[in-house]
Amino acid sequence: MNELFASLFGSRILFPVFLFLTAVMSLAFAVYLLKVKPENVDKMERLPRWKVPGIILGTIVLAWCIPHAMPILPETFHKLLFPFMVAVVIASWCVLDHLFARALGGYMILTAHLFLRDSYGYEELSNPWFATICLIYGTFGIFLCGLPYRLRDIVRLELNPKFRWIFPVFFGILFLAFTITGICYLRIEA
């Protein structure tokens, strides 16, 4: 099973796929934040606590971590990684709150790492601006993993006119950066 995860998450095709997927997710979240109104804020702030989408995304993120854990563990522990992942998923469902925010944070950390690693070999892509965007994006993911309830606070901030545009603009910039980088990558590979 570990070899399947290593071949799946070690593929070079993941770079453009996740660039465009993350761009679409960033745009969707920016639009989501712009739709927050005083009358629907109670419904909209439930996003970080979504259990089923959180467990699905969290399982994908944990499976993605298995190939990263294999080089640092002795080979005798490799066969335990998949059962450990299953146990963590079950324990997460039973014990943790804010599952979607935690899983989203993990996804952001792993994709920031992937983007930086795979853009490094291309002079056109490995520029300081893209690295800075990935640094901020990955740091936001770490922030979400450490303080998952802050995603709810970000949704509530959309009610304050002074802060209304900060996060939608941030996620709009992420959308543009990842889309442009994905298009540049496809042009290089063509």
Side-chain angles (χ1 to χ4, degrees), residues 83-136:
F84 183 67
M85 180 194 82
V86 172
V88 167
V89 167
I90 292 168
S92 298
W93 179 269
C94 297
V95 176
L96 291 178
D97 196 10
H98 297 88
L99 277 179
F100 186 72
R102 293 172 196 272
L104 185 62
Y107 173 83
M108 292 172 83
I109 294 167
L110 286 172
T111 51
H113 170 351
L114 173 79
F115 297 160
L116 287 174
R117 184 195 70 194
D118 286 358
S119 70
Y120 184 72
Y122 300 98
E123 188 176 325
E124 298 85 358
L125 300 180
S126 62
N127 59 48
W129 298 110
F130 185 66
T132 303
I133 291 287
C134 288
L135 172 70
I136 295 167

Short mmCIF file of all heavy atoms in Angstrom, two decimals, residues 83-136:
data_model
loop_
_atom_site.label_atom_id
_atom_site.label_comp_id
_atom_site.label_asym_id
_atom_site.label_seq_id
_atom_site.Cartn_x
_atom_site.Cartn_y
_atom_site.Cartn_z
N PRO A 83 -1.70 1.19 8.49
CA PRO A 83 -2.59 0.99 9.65
C PRO A 83 -2.60 2.18 10.60
O PRO A 83 -3.64 2.53 11.16
CB PRO A 83 -2.03 -0.26 10.34
CG PRO A 83 -1.24 -0.95 9.30
CD PRO A 83 -0.73 0.10 8.36
N PHE A 84 -1.45 2.84 10.76
CA PHE A 84 -1.39 4.02 11.61
C PHE A 84 -2.25 5.14 11.02
O PHE A 84 -2.96 5.84 11.75
CB PHE A 84 0.06 4.48 11.78
CG PHE A 84 0.22 5.64 12.69
CD1 PHE A 84 -0.05 5.53 14.05
CD2 PHE A 84 0.61 6.88 12.21
CE1 PHE A 84 0.09 6.61 14.90
CE2 PHE A 84 0.74 7.97 13.05
CZ PHE A 84 0.48 7.84 14.39
N MET A 85 -2.22 5.29 9.68
CA MET A 85 -3.04 6.31 9.03
C MET A 85 -4.52 6.04 9.28
O MET A 85 -5.29 6.96 9.60
CB MET A 85 -2.77 6.35 7.53
CG MET A 85 -3.58 7.40 6.79
SD MET A 85 -3.59 7.21 5.01
CE MET A 85 -4.85 5.97 4.82
N VAL A 86 -4.93 4.78 9.15
CA VAL A 86 -6.34 4.42 9.38
C VAL A 86 -6.72 4.72 10.84
O VAL A 86 -7.80 5.27 11.10
CB VAL A 86 -6.58 2.94 9.03
CG1 VAL A 86 -7.97 2.50 9.46
CG2 VAL A 86 -6.37 2.70 7.54
N ALA A 87 -5.84 4.38 11.78
CA ALA A 87 -6.12 4.66 13.18
C ALA A 87 -6.23 6.16 13.45
O ALA A 87 -7.10 6.60 14.22
CB ALA A 87 -5.03 4.04 14.06
N VAL A 88 -5.39 6.95 12.82
CA VAL A 88 -5.43 8.41 13.00
C VAL A 88 -6.72 8.98 12.43
O VAL A 88 -7.34 9.87 13.02
CB VAL A 88 -4.18 9.07 12.38
CG1 VAL A 88 -4.35 10.57 12.28
CG2 VAL A 88 -2.95 8.73 13.19
N VAL A 89 -7.16 8.46 11.28
CA VAL A 89 -8.41 8.93 10.68
C VAL A 89 -9.59 8.63 11.60
O VAL A 89 -10.44 9.49 11.85
CB VAL A 89 -8.62 8.31 9.27
CG1 VAL A 89 -10.04 8.54 8.78
CG2 VAL A 89 -7.62 8.86 8.29
N ILE A 90 -9.63 7.42 12.16
CA ILE A 90 -10.72 7.05 13.07
C ILE A 90 -10.67 7.90 14.34
O ILE A 90 -11.69 8.42 14.80
CB ILE A 90 -10.66 5.54 13.39
CG1 ILE A 90 -10.99 4.73 12.13
CG2 ILE A 90 -11.63 5.18 14.52
CD1 ILE A 90 -10.70 3.26 12.25
N ALA A 91 -9.48 8.07 14.89
CA ALA A 91 -9.34 8.88 16.10
C ALA A 91 -9.71 10.34 15.83
O ALA A 91 -10.33 11.00 16.67
CB ALA A 91 -7.91 8.79 16.63
N SER A 92 -9.35 10.85 14.67
CA SER A 92 -9.70 12.23 14.30
C SER A 92 -11.21 12.40 14.25
O SER A 92 -11.74 13.41 14.73
CB SER A 92 -9.10 12.59 12.95
OG SER A 92 -7.71 12.54 13.00
N TRP A 93 -11.90 11.44 13.66
CA TRP A 93 -13.35 11.51 13.56
C TRP A 93 -13.99 11.52 14.96
O TRP A 93 -14.94 12.27 15.21
CB TRP A 93 -13.88 10.33 12.76
CG TRP A 93 -15.37 10.34 12.64
CD1 TRP A 93 -16.26 9.73 13.47
CD2 TRP A 93 -16.15 11.01 11.66
NE1 TRP A 93 -17.55 9.97 13.06
CE2 TRP A 93 -17.51 10.75 11.94
CE3 TRP A 93 -15.84 11.80 10.57
CZ2 TRP A 93 -18.54 11.25 11.17
CZ3 TRP A 93 -16.88 12.29 9.79
CH2 TRP A 93 -18.20 12.02 10.10
N CYS A 94 -13.45 10.72 15.85
CA CYS A 94 -14.04 10.58 17.19
C CYS A 94 -13.67 11.71 18.14
O CYS A 94 -14.47 12.05 19.02
CB CYS A 94 -13.61 9.26 17.80
SG CYS A 94 -14.20 7.82 16.89
N VAL A 95 -12.49 12.28 18.01
CA VAL A 95 -11.97 13.17 19.05
C VAL A 95 -11.86 14.63 18.61
O VAL A 95 -12.18 15.53 19.38
CB VAL A 95 -10.59 12.66 19.52
CG1 VAL A 95 -9.98 13.60 20.52
CG2 VAL A 95 -10.70 11.26 20.09
N LEU A 96 -11.42 14.88 17.41
CA LEU A 96 -11.08 16.25 17.01
C LEU A 96 -12.27 17.07 16.57
O LEU A 96 -13.25 16.55 16.04
CB LEU A 96 -10.05 16.23 15.87
CG LEU A 96 -8.66 15.74 16.22
CD1 LEU A 96 -7.78 15.75 14.97
CD2 LEU A 96 -8.03 16.58 17.31
N ASP A 97 -12.14 18.36 16.79
CA ASP A 97 -13.11 19.33 16.29
C ASP A 97 -12.41 20.15 15.20
O ASP A 97 -11.20 20.12 15.08
CB ASP A 97 -13.56 20.22 17.44
CG ASP A 97 -14.83 20.99 17.12
OD1 ASP A 97 -15.46 20.70 16.09
OD2 ASP A 97 -15.17 21.90 17.89
N HIS A 98 -13.15 20.88 14.43
CA HIS A 98 -12.61 21.70 13.34
C HIS A 98 -11.80 20.86 12.36
O HIS A 98 -10.69 21.22 11.97
CB HIS A 98 -11.75 22.85 13.89
CG HIS A 98 -12.52 23.81 14.73
ND1 HIS A 98 -12.68 23.63 16.08
CD2 HIS A 98 -13.17 24.95 14.40
CE1 HIS A 98 -13.40 24.62 16.57
NE2 HIS A 98 -13.72 25.44 15.57
N LEU A 99 -12.37 19.72 11.95
CA LEU A 99 -11.65 18.81 11.06
C LEU A 99 -11.32 19.43 9.71
O LEU A 99 -10.22 19.23 9.19
CB LEU A 99 -12.47 17.53 10.84
CG LEU A 99 -12.34 16.47 11.91
CD1 LEU A 99 -13.22 15.28 11.58
CD2 LEU A 99 -10.92 16.03 12.09
N PHE A 100 -12.25 20.16 9.14
CA PHE A 100 -11.99 20.72 7.81
C PHE A 100 -10.87 21.75 7.86
O PHE A 100 -10.01 21.79 6.98
CB PHE A 100 -13.26 21.33 7.21
CG PHE A 100 -13.07 21.78 5.80
CD1 PHE A 100 -12.94 20.87 4.77
CD2 PHE A 100 -12.99 23.13 5.49
CE1 PHE A 100 -12.74 21.28 3.46
CE2 PHE A 100 -12.79 23.56 4.20
CZ PHE A 100 -12.67 22.62 3.17
N ALA A 101 -10.86 22.58 8.88
CA ALA A 101 -9.81 23.60 9.00
C ALA A 101 -8.45 22.94 9.17
O ALA A 101 -7.45 23.37 8.57
CB ALA A 101 -10.10 24.53 10.17
N ARG A 102 -8.37 21.88 9.97
CA ARG A 102 -7.11 21.17 10.17
C ARG A 102 -6.64 20.52 8.88
O ARG A 102 -5.46 20.57 8.52
CB ARG A 102 -7.25 20.13 11.26
CG ARG A 102 -7.48 20.70 12.63
CD ARG A 102 -7.80 19.57 13.62
NE ARG A 102 -8.38 20.06 14.83
CZ ARG A 102 -7.69 20.45 15.89
NH1 ARG A 102 -6.39 20.43 15.87
NH2 ARG A 102 -8.33 20.88 16.99
N ALA A 103 -7.57 19.85 8.18
CA ALA A 103 -7.21 19.18 6.93
C ALA A 103 -6.80 20.20 5.87
O ALA A 103 -5.85 19.97 5.12
CB ALA A 103 -8.39 18.34 6.44
N LEU A 104 -7.49 21.31 5.83
CA LEU A 104 -7.14 22.36 4.88
C LEU A 104 -5.74 22.91 5.17
O LEU A 104 -4.95 23.14 4.26
CB LEU A 104 -8.17 23.49 4.91
CG LEU A 104 -8.01 24.61 3.90
CD1 LEU A 104 -8.13 24.07 2.48
CD2 LEU A 104 -9.05 25.69 4.16
N GLY A 105 -5.42 23.10 6.44
CA GLY A 105 -4.09 23.54 6.81
C GLY A 105 -3.02 22.55 6.37
O GLY A 105 -1.97 22.93 5.84
N GLY A 106 -3.26 21.27 6.58
CA GLY A 106 -2.32 20.24 6.14
C GLY A 106 -2.17 20.22 4.63
O GLY A 106 -1.05 20.07 4.10
N TYR A 107 -3.29 20.38 3.92
CA TYR A 107 -3.24 20.45 2.46
C TYR A 107 -2.40 21.65 2.01
O TYR A 107 -1.59 21.54 1.09
CB TYR A 107 -4.67 20.55 1.90
CG TYR A 107 -4.72 20.80 0.42
CD1 TYR A 107 -4.62 19.75 -0.48
CD2 TYR A 107 -4.87 22.09 -0.09
CE1 TYR A 107 -4.66 19.97 -1.84
CE2 TYR A 107 -4.91 22.32 -1.44
CZ TYR A 107 -4.82 21.26 -2.32
OH TYR A 107 -4.85 21.49 -3.67
N MET A 108 -2.58 22.77 2.67
CA MET A 108 -1.84 23.97 2.28
C MET A 108 -0.33 23.80 2.53
O MET A 108 0.49 24.22 1.72
CB MET A 108 -2.37 25.19 3.04
CG MET A 108 -3.77 25.58 2.61
SD MET A 108 -4.49 26.86 3.64
CE MET A 108 -3.78 28.31 2.89
N ILE A 109 0.03 23.17 3.63
CA ILE A 109 1.45 22.93 3.92
C ILE A 109 2.06 22.02 2.86
O ILE A 109 3.14 22.31 2.31
CB ILE A 109 1.61 22.32 5.32
CG1 ILE A 109 1.19 23.30 6.40
CG2 ILE A 109 3.06 21.87 5.56
CD1 ILE A 109 1.02 22.67 7.77
N LEU A 110 1.39 20.91 2.56
CA LEU A 110 1.94 19.96 1.59
C LEU A 110 2.00 20.54 0.18
O LEU A 110 2.96 20.31 -0.55
CB LEU A 110 1.13 18.67 1.61
CG LEU A 110 1.38 17.78 2.82
CD1 LEU A 110 0.39 16.63 2.86
CD2 LEU A 110 2.80 17.25 2.81
N THR A 111 0.98 21.29 -0.22
CA THR A 111 1.03 21.85 -1.57
C THR A 111 2.07 22.97 -1.67
O THR A 111 2.72 23.10 -2.72
CB THR A 111 -0.35 22.37 -2.03
OG1 THR A 111 -0.90 23.24 -1.05
CG2 THR A 111 -1.30 21.23 -2.31
N ALA A 112 2.27 23.74 -0.62
CA ALA A 112 3.33 24.76 -0.66
C ALA A 112 4.68 24.10 -0.84
O ALA A 112 5.52 24.56 -1.62
CB ALA A 112 3.31 25.60 0.62
N HIS A 113 4.89 22.99 -0.14
CA HIS A 113 6.14 22.24 -0.28
C HIS A 113 6.27 21.71 -1.70
O HIS A 113 7.34 21.81 -2.33
CB HIS A 113 6.16 21.12 0.75
CG HIS A 113 7.26 20.13 0.60
ND1 HIS A 113 8.12 20.05 -0.46
CD2 HIS A 113 7.68 19.13 1.41
CE1 HIS A 113 8.98 19.07 -0.31
NE2 HIS A 113 8.73 18.50 0.82
N LEU A 114 5.20 21.12 -2.22
CA LEU A 114 5.22 20.58 -3.58
C LEU A 114 5.51 21.67 -4.60
O LEU A 114 6.32 21.48 -5.52
CB LEU A 114 3.87 19.92 -3.89
CG LEU A 114 3.65 19.47 -5.33
CD1 LEU A 114 4.38 18.15 -5.57
CD2 LEU A 114 2.18 19.34 -5.64
N PHE A 115 4.86 22.82 -4.46
CA PHE A 115 5.06 23.91 -5.42
C PHE A 115 6.50 24.39 -5.42
O PHE A 115 7.09 24.62 -6.47
CB PHE A 115 4.12 25.07 -5.13
CG PHE A 115 2.66 24.75 -5.26
CD1 PHE A 115 1.70 25.54 -4.66
CD2 PHE A 115 2.22 23.64 -5.98
CE1 PHE A 115 0.35 25.25 -4.78
CE2 PHE A 115 0.87 23.34 -6.10
CZ PHE A 115 -0.06 24.15 -5.49
N LEU A 116 7.07 24.57 -4.24
CA LEU A 116 8.46 25.04 -4.17
C LEU A 116 9.42 23.99 -4.70
O LEU A 116 10.36 24.31 -5.44
CB LEU A 116 8.82 25.41 -2.73
CG LEU A 116 8.19 26.70 -2.22
CD1 LEU A 116 8.51 26.88 -0.75
CD2 LEU A 116 8.67 27.89 -3.02
N ARG A 117 9.21 22.74 -4.33
CA ARG A 117 10.11 21.66 -4.77
C ARG A 117 10.09 21.50 -6.29
O ARG A 117 11.13 21.42 -6.93
CB ARG A 117 9.71 20.35 -4.10
CG ARG A 117 10.64 19.19 -4.43
CD ARG A 117 10.06 17.88 -4.06
NE ARG A 117 8.96 17.58 -4.98
CZ ARG A 117 8.06 16.64 -4.78
NH1 ARG A 117 8.08 15.93 -3.69
NH2 ARG A 117 7.10 16.43 -5.65
N ASP A 118 8.89 21.46 -6.88
CA ASP A 118 8.80 21.18 -8.30
C ASP A 118 9.06 22.40 -9.17
O ASP A 118 9.34 22.26 -10.36
CB ASP A 118 7.44 20.58 -8.64
CG ASP A 118 7.32 19.14 -8.19
OD1 ASP A 118 8.33 18.61 -7.66
OD2 ASP A 118 6.26 18.54 -8.36
N SER A 119 8.96 23.60 -8.63
CA SER A 119 9.27 24.79 -9.43
C SER A 119 10.76 25.09 -9.43
O SER A 119 11.23 25.88 -10.23
CB SER A 119 8.50 26.00 -8.91
OG SER A 119 9.01 26.41 -7.66
N TYR A 120 11.50 24.43 -8.55
CA TYR A 120 12.91 24.74 -8.38
C TYR A 120 13.72 24.49 -9.66
O TYR A 120 14.64 25.23 -9.97
CB TYR A 120 13.50 23.91 -7.23
CG TYR A 120 14.93 24.23 -6.93
CD1 TYR A 120 15.28 25.43 -6.33
CD2 TYR A 120 15.95 23.34 -7.27
CE1 TYR A 120 16.59 25.74 -6.05
CE2 TYR A 120 17.26 23.64 -6.99
CZ TYR A 120 17.57 24.84 -6.39
OH TYR A 120 18.87 25.14 -6.12
N GLY A 121 13.39 23.49 -10.42
CA GLY A 121 14.15 23.16 -11.63
C GLY A 121 13.86 24.05 -12.82
O GLY A 121 14.54 23.94 -13.85
N TYR A 122 12.91 24.92 -12.72
CA TYR A 122 12.53 25.78 -13.85
C TYR A 122 12.84 27.23 -13.50
O TYR A 122 12.28 27.79 -12.57
CB TYR A 122 11.03 25.65 -14.14
CG TYR A 122 10.62 24.25 -14.50
CD1 TYR A 122 10.07 23.39 -13.56
CD2 TYR A 122 10.80 23.78 -15.80
CE1 TYR A 122 9.71 22.11 -13.88
CE2 TYR A 122 10.43 22.48 -16.14
CZ TYR A 122 9.89 21.66 -15.18
OH TYR A 122 9.53 20.37 -15.51
N GLU A 123 13.72 27.81 -14.28
CA GLU A 123 14.13 29.20 -14.01
C GLU A 123 12.95 30.16 -14.11
O GLU A 123 12.85 31.12 -13.37
CB GLU A 123 15.23 29.61 -14.99
CG GLU A 123 15.84 30.95 -14.66
CD GLU A 123 16.99 31.27 -15.58
OE1 GLU A 123 17.72 30.36 -15.97
OE2 GLU A 123 17.13 32.45 -15.93
N GLU A 124 12.04 29.87 -15.04
CA GLU A 124 10.88 30.75 -15.23
C GLU A 124 9.92 30.69 -14.04
O GLU A 124 9.20 31.64 -13.78
CB GLU A 124 10.11 30.37 -16.51
CG GLU A 124 10.91 30.51 -17.78
CD GLU A 124 11.75 29.27 -18.08
OE1 GLU A 124 11.73 28.31 -17.28
OE2 GLU A 124 12.43 29.27 -19.10
N LEU A 125 9.88 29.55 -13.35
CA LEU A 125 8.93 29.38 -12.27
C LEU A 125 9.53 29.66 -10.90
O LEU A 125 8.84 30.09 -9.98
CB LEU A 125 8.38 27.94 -12.26
CG LEU A 125 7.66 27.48 -13.52
CD1 LEU A 125 7.19 26.05 -13.33
CD2 LEU A 125 6.50 28.37 -13.86
N SER A 126 10.80 29.38 -10.74
CA SER A 126 11.42 29.52 -9.41
C SER A 126 11.94 30.93 -9.21
O SER A 126 13.12 31.18 -9.10
CB SER A 126 12.55 28.50 -9.24
OG SER A 126 13.56 28.76 -10.19
N ASN A 127 11.02 31.86 -9.15
CA ASN A 127 11.39 33.25 -8.92
C ASN A 127 11.02 33.64 -7.48
O ASN A 127 10.26 32.95 -6.81
CB ASN A 127 10.71 34.16 -9.95
CG ASN A 127 9.21 34.06 -9.90
OD1 ASN A 127 8.61 34.13 -8.84
ND2 ASN A 127 8.59 33.90 -11.06
N PRO A 128 11.58 34.74 -7.01
CA PRO A 128 11.31 35.13 -5.61
C PRO A 128 9.84 35.42 -5.32
O PRO A 128 9.38 35.22 -4.20
CB PRO A 128 12.16 36.38 -5.41
CG PRO A 128 13.07 36.48 -6.56
CD PRO A 128 12.55 35.60 -7.64
N TRP A 129 9.12 35.89 -6.30
CA TRP A 129 7.70 36.22 -6.07
C TRP A 129 6.89 34.96 -5.79
O TRP A 129 6.08 34.93 -4.87
CB TRP A 129 7.10 36.99 -7.24
CG TRP A 129 7.79 38.29 -7.44
CD1 TRP A 129 8.62 38.64 -8.47
CD2 TRP A 129 7.75 39.42 -6.57
NE1 TRP A 129 9.09 39.91 -8.29
CE2 TRP A 129 8.57 40.43 -7.13
CE3 TRP A 129 7.11 39.69 -5.37
CZ2 TRP A 129 8.75 41.66 -6.55
CZ3 TRP A 129 7.29 40.92 -4.78
CH2 TRP A 129 8.11 41.89 -5.37
N PHE A 130 7.12 33.93 -6.60
CA PHE A 130 6.39 32.69 -6.40
C PHE A 130 6.79 32.04 -5.07
O PHE A 130 5.95 31.51 -4.34
CB PHE A 130 6.62 31.72 -7.56
CG PHE A 130 5.80 30.47 -7.46
CD1 PHE A 130 4.42 30.50 -7.54
CD2 PHE A 130 6.42 29.24 -7.27
CE1 PHE A 130 3.67 29.35 -7.43
CE2 PHE A 130 5.68 28.09 -7.16
CZ PHE A 130 4.31 28.13 -7.24
N ALA A 131 8.08 32.10 -4.74
CA ALA A 131 8.54 31.55 -3.47
C ALA A 131 7.92 32.30 -2.29
O ALA A 131 7.55 31.68 -1.29
CB ALA A 131 10.06 31.61 -3.40
N THR A 132 7.79 33.60 -2.42
CA THR A 132 7.18 34.39 -1.35
C THR A 132 5.70 34.05 -1.20
O THR A 132 5.19 33.90 -0.07
CB THR A 132 7.35 35.90 -1.63
OG1 THR A 132 8.74 36.18 -1.77
CG2 THR A 132 6.77 36.74 -0.51
N ILE A 133 5.00 33.89 -2.31
CA ILE A 133 3.59 33.50 -2.27
C ILE A 133 3.46 32.13 -1.59
O ILE A 133 2.59 31.93 -0.74
CB ILE A 133 2.99 33.46 -3.70
CG1 ILE A 133 2.88 34.85 -4.29
CG2 ILE A 133 1.65 32.74 -3.73
CD1 ILE A 133 1.80 35.71 -3.70
N CYS A 134 4.33 31.19 -1.96
CA CYS A 134 4.28 29.86 -1.35
C CYS A 134 4.61 29.92 0.14
O CYS A 134 4.02 29.18 0.93
CB CYS A 134 5.23 28.90 -2.07
SG CYS A 134 4.65 28.42 -3.69
N LEU A 135 5.54 30.78 0.52
CA LEU A 135 5.88 30.93 1.93
C LEU A 135 4.67 31.44 2.72
O LEU A 135 4.32 30.89 3.78
CB LEU A 135 7.05 31.90 2.10
CG LEU A 135 7.39 32.30 3.54
CD1 LEU A 135 7.98 31.11 4.29
CD2 LEU A 135 8.31 33.47 3.57
N ILE A 136 4.01 32.46 2.22
CA ILE A 136 2.85 33.02 2.91
C ILE A 136 1.71 31.99 2.94
O ILE A 136 1.05 31.79 3.97
CB ILE A 136 2.41 34.34 2.24
CG1 ILE A 136 3.50 35.40 2.40
CG2 ILE A 136 1.08 34.83 2.80
CD1 ILE A 136 3.30 36.62 1.54
#
